[in-house]
Amino acid sequence: MKQRFGRSLPFFAIMAVVFILVSLLSLSVGQVDIPFEKILAAFCQQAGLPYLAGVPVSPEQQAVLWHIRLPRTLVGLLVGAGLAISGAVMQGIFSNPLADPGIVGVSSGASAGAVIAIGLGLTEISMFYMPLFAFGGALVAVTLTVFLAMRHRRIPVMTLLLSGVVVGMLLGAVTAGILTVLNEQKLQQYLFWTIGGLDYRRWEHVMLGAVPICCGIGVMLLLARHLNVLVLGEVEAKSVGMRVGFFRLFLLTLASMTTATGVCISGNIGFVGLVVPHMMRMLVGPDHRRLLPASVLAGGAFLVLCDTVGRVIFPPTEIRVGIMTAALGTPYFLYLLRKNKELNR
């Protein structure tokens, strides 16, 4: 076992380097270019370290770095990591590589909550009403899905999937009904949120998402071994003394709440929770003790890279990150759908 994990260390070292380089690239490029050495100099100066003290950093570069790029990059890393590990957990719970966090109604609930906040005019009072309502909507959706699926304190997987579809359709109808009475300005506001983006993210968004997403990721990493047992099947898991219903519900709740937090601060961003875990599974194998941390690193790097490419591909126009992930994720999803022979039987 130790030998197998030892062989994974070079892979994780490479992933960590990619994670850091993508983050630096996101901080560096844009309408105001900031060279890497000036980014490092700004960090050293902020920390009071003598290194790179002679490298000049202009006030404009300081403002762009600390007030625009750094919070945007941190939000991207948090959301990407949270969506990716939540997708890996969902795929493990349902034993299906095509599962993602939206399967239990998280996205539909968040959309309904966001459009309610817009319709009530609360977004004109404070920027935080939309993410708070989106989080509340996602929480209601997950709770309703689990309530409908639960049978005698058990949650059959197929029933949970069907309940998620029904709840998603219901909340989609609620969202569509509210949209029909909104004016053009509010419709545009909802459209920008539902596409998903990292633009105009501030330190308040980082603070709003950091604690719940980091806590969710940490607990899911600690439960990786339990997820390995759960994937073997309900009978096998019970034979080793696992409380299948409790751990399935607990992991489902963790993944849903981590996803809901990410969605509420960035909008709906699709395919990260679907594509990234599957790619990591092909590289590191199905063992969740390796798959989950790999998904965290790859998910954060993937989302930030998509955002960076969207910023520089057609300057000065920015392509929102939700469009970039969909453009990259849709072909891969179709490939998975065609490759998965069980779904075609």
Side-chain angles (χ1 to χ4, degrees):
M1 183 66 70
K2 291 183 179 180
Q3 291 179 350
R4 286 193 297 169
F5 280 93
R7 287 197 295 266
S8 300
L9 289 179
F11 172 81
F12 281 104
I14 294 172
M15 287 298 304
V17 171
V18 171
F19 187 87
I20 294 172
L21 289 178
V22 169
S23 301
L24 289 174
L25 181 66
S26 175
L27 297 174
S28 175
V29 300
Q31 295 187 28
V32 177
D33 288 332
I34 307 175
F36 283 179
E37 63 270 15
K38 292 195 175 185
I39 295 174
L40 297 176
F43 279 111
C44 290
Q45 293 168 15
Q46 189 71 16
L49 299 175
Y51 309 108
L52 300 175
V55 178
V57 184
S58 69
E60 180 187 19
Q61 291 173 329
Q62 290 273 11
V64 169
L65 177 63
W66 294 113
H67 300 295
I68 298 177
R69 299 240 177 105
L70 186 56
R72 179 173 185 161
T73 300
L74 290 176
V75 169
L77 294 174
L78 285 170
V79 173
L83 292 176
I85 192 174
S86 298
V89 169
M90 290 284 188
Q91 291 171 11
I93 292 174
F94 297 117
S95 299
N96 190 332
L98 300 182
D100 77 335
I103 204 168
V104 291
V106 174
S107 300
S108 300
S111 297
V115 78
I116 289 173
I118 294 172
L120 294 175
L122 298 176
T123 55
E124 300 173 4
I125 300 174
S126 173
M127 60 176 284
F128 293 109
Y129 277 112
M130 185 187 292
L132 290 176
F133 269 67
F135 182 82
L139 181 63
V140 170
V142 174
T143 303
L144 185 57
T145 299
V146 173
F147 174 76
L148 292 174
M150 187 168 290
R151 295 289 185 274
H152 306 293
R153 297 185 179 181
R154 295 178 63 254
I155 305 177
V157 172
M158 187 56 65
T159 307
L160 185 65
L161 292 172
L162 294 175
S163 299
V165 171
V166 171
V167 170
M169 293 175 64
L170 173 63
L171 294 175
V174 171
T175 302
I178 298 174
L179 288 174
T180 58
V181 299
L182 296 183
N183 58 38
E184 184 176 351
Q185 181 181 0
K186 290 182 177 180
L187 282 173
Q188 187 177 24
Q189 186 179 0
Y190 173 76
L191 176 64
F192 268 63
W193 180 85
T194 195
I195 291 175
L198 302 178
D199 46 335
Y200 305 112
R201 300 303 94 178
R202 295 170 15 187
W203 284 107
E204 290 87 347
H205 294 94
V206 178
M207 300 304 175
L208 188 64
V211 174
I213 291 178
C214 290
C215 289
I217 289 174
V219 177
M220 282 187 278
L221 289 174
L222 291 175
L223 294 177
R225 186 176 65 85
H226 296 77
L227 187 57
N228 281 343
V229 178
L230 194 61
V231 170
L232 297 176
E234 186 167 343
V235 175
E236 290 80 359
K238 285 183 177 180
S239 67
V240 296
M242 172 175 280
R243 297 165 60 191
V244 175
F246 170 79
F247 280 104
R248 180 176 289 164
L249 180 60
F250 187 55
L251 286 166
L252 177 65
T253 302
L254 281 174
S256 299
M257 294 304 99
T258 303
T259 301
T261 305
V263 169
C264 83
I265 62 176
S266 66
N268 280 325
I269 297 177
F271 292 103
V272 177
L274 172 67
V275 173
V276 173
H278 192 78
M279 293 179 64
M280 292 301 101
R281 187 177 289 105
M282 291 190 297
L283 292 174
V284 302
D287 190 333
H288 288 88
R289 289 174 293 179
R290 290 176 291 178
L291 175 60
L292 296 190
S295 297
V296 169
L297 293 173
F302 174 72
L303 189 60
V304 170
L305 181 61
C306 287
D307 179 57
T308 304
V309 173
R311 291 205 313 259
V312 301
I313 191 171
F314 294 122
T317 302
E318 289 190 10
I319 302 177
R320 292 173 70 84
V321 68
I323 299 174
M324 294 298 300
T325 58
L328 295 174
T330 300
Y332 193 76
F333 177 78
L334 295 175
Y335 162 75
L336 287 181
L337 193 63
R338 187 173 181 84
K339 184 180 179 181
N340 195 333
K341 298 179 180 179
E342 293 183 0
L343 295 180
N344 296 324
R345 291 178 180 175

